[in-house]
Amino acid sequence: MLTNERQQVILDLLAEKQTIKIQEIIELTNASESTIRRDLTELENEHKLARIHGGATIRGRKLHEPSMLDKTAKNLQEKQRIAELAASFIQEGDCIFLDAGTTTFQMIPHLRNKKVVVVTNGLTHVEALIEHGVTTYLAGGYVKGKTRALVGPQTIQSLQNYRFDKCFLGVNGFDATFGYTTPDPEEAAVKRQASACAKHTYVVADHTKYGEVSFSSIDTLSKATLITSKLPEETLRLLRENTTFEVVSA
C-alpha cells in the first residue's frame, strides 16, 4: 500500500471513530509499527490529526475549551519565551490590555520594572500583577469559571471606557484562512472590543495553535501582529501573505 493510500485509510478511520489505536491501523494496512508512527507524525505535522499515547485523535473540536488548569502546563517553555518577546514591545508609560490566558499570564513578571498601566479581564492575572507592582484595572462582567475570564455586556461596556497603546490577546487557534478563533462567542467579543480600543494588537500563540479553528471568529490575521514559536517554512510563507509576525528562537 502506497504512503498516500495508507494515510487516507488512517484519516477515514479517524472520521469514523474519532480516536484510533496504532494496532488498529497496523491490522488494516499490514504496515509495520514504525511505518505507522511515521505516517502519524507526518499527518500531525500537516495538522490533520493529533497524536496521543498509543494512537491518534481527530483535531478541531470547535466547541471544546480546555480549562486554565489544562492549559497552564502545556508547552510552558514555549509560552514563556513568547511572553518574554511580547513584553519586549511594551514601553515605559504604555497603557495595555492583557487578555485572560496562560501565555499572557507569563508576560506579567516582565512588567515588574516597567511603569505601565494594565487593564485585564483575567481574574487569575490580578494577584500576580499586584505582586509585581503593576498599576492594574480589572474589567467588570461575569466570571467564566472554566477560563477565569470576565465576559459579557458589562465587560464590553467597561472596555469601551479605555484606550490602549497595545493589546495582547490569547487565542485557541490561528489559521491562514479562518484567522483567529476561540470556542466562546462571549470571549471572542471581549477580545474584539479590546483590540478595537488599541493602537496595536498582538496575538500570543504557540505553534500548536496553528491550523486549529474554533467556533467563534475573533478577527482576521491581518488585524494583529502574531507572536509565535517555530513553524514549518511553508506555514510561515502562508502567514507572511496575511500578516506580520515574530517567531521566538528555538
Side-chain angles (χ1 to χ4, degrees):
M1 188 179 290
L2 297 174
T3 299
N4 62 335
E5 293 175 330
R6 196 171 54 246
Q7 292 183 357
Q8 189 58 53
V9 168
I10 294 171
L11 294 175
D12 289 344
L13 189 61
L14 262 182
E16 177 187 343
K17 302 186 68 173
Q18 310 300 304
T19 299
I20 54 176
K21 296 179 180 178
I22 287 176
Q23 189 57 42
E24 290 180 272
I25 308 168
I26 291 172
E27 291 172 2
L28 273 175
T29 61
N30 292 318
S32 67
E33 182 174 337
S34 60
T35 297
I36 296 305
R37 289 187 182 278
R38 283 196 299 272
D39 285 340
L40 294 179
T41 298
E42 286 182 19
L43 290 169
E44 184 175 49
N45 289 339
E46 294 170 4
H47 304 283
K48 293 178 178 178
L49 55 76
R51 293 286 301 275
I52 59 174
H53 182 69
T57 190
I58 198 163
R59 290 176 66 97
R61 291 176 290 168
K62 292 179 173 52
L63 293 175
H64 174 69
E65 185 164 27
S67 67
M68 285 292 287
L69 185 62
D70 293 334
K71 293 190 288 187
T72 296
K74 188 176 180 182
N75 303 316
L76 180 58
Q77 290 184 335
E78 281 188 38
K79 291 177 180 179
Q80 289 171 335
R81 293 199 302 272
I82 290 168
E84 183 177 7
L85 178 57
S88 72
F89 292 104
I90 300 172
Q91 299 175 322
E92 293 286 325
D94 274 352
C95 298
I96 69 170
F97 177 78
L98 206 59
D99 187 25
T102 52
T103 306
T104 51
F105 180 85
Q106 295 298 329
M107 293 175 62
I108 295 173
H110 302 289
L111 304 181
R112 180 192 292 274
N113 297 316
K114 293 186 176 182
K115 293 181 180 179
V116 297
V117 174
V118 171
V119 177
T120 185
N121 71 321
L123 202 59
T124 57
H125 291 11
V126 176
E127 186 174 353
L129 285 163
I130 292 170
E131 286 180 355
H132 286 85
V134 179
T135 300
T136 304
Y137 291 82
L138 182 62
Y142 163 74
V143 179
K144 185 178 171 186
K146 196 165 191 178
T147 60
R148 302 296 193 270
L150 289 135
V151 297
Q154 288 177 301
T155 311
I156 299 291
Q157 186 176 8
S158 174
L159 292 178
Q160 289 170 347
N161 294 320
Y162 300 109
R163 295 296 179 267
F164 307 117
D165 294 295
K166 299 175 181 80
C167 166
F168 295 87
L169 302 179
V171 299
N172 289 72
F174 64 97
D175 181 87
T177 301
F178 295 102
Y180 301 112
T181 57
T182 194
D184 185 353
E186 288 198 295
E187 286 209 38
V190 170
K191 294 173 195 289
R192 278 195 302 274
Q193 181 61 59
S195 180
C197 293
K199 292 179 182 176
H200 196 95
T201 297
Y202 297 84
V203 167
V204 291
D206 67 71
H207 78 282
T208 64
K209 304 289 181 65
Y210 178 71
E212 294 289 339
V213 180
S214 293
F215 178 61
S216 302
S217 171
I218 300 167
D219 223 325
T220 61
L221 291 187
S222 64
K223 293 298 179 70
T225 295
L226 173 66
I227 304 176
T228 189
S229 47
K230 188 173 177 61
L231 289 164
E233 187 54 43
E234 176 62 20
T235 300
L236 294 178
R237 185 188 65 77
L238 286 172
L239 291 175
R240 198 172 288 115
E241 293 173 357
N242 291 276
T243 193
T244 56
F245 60 86
E246 300 284 341
V247 178
V248 297
S249 57

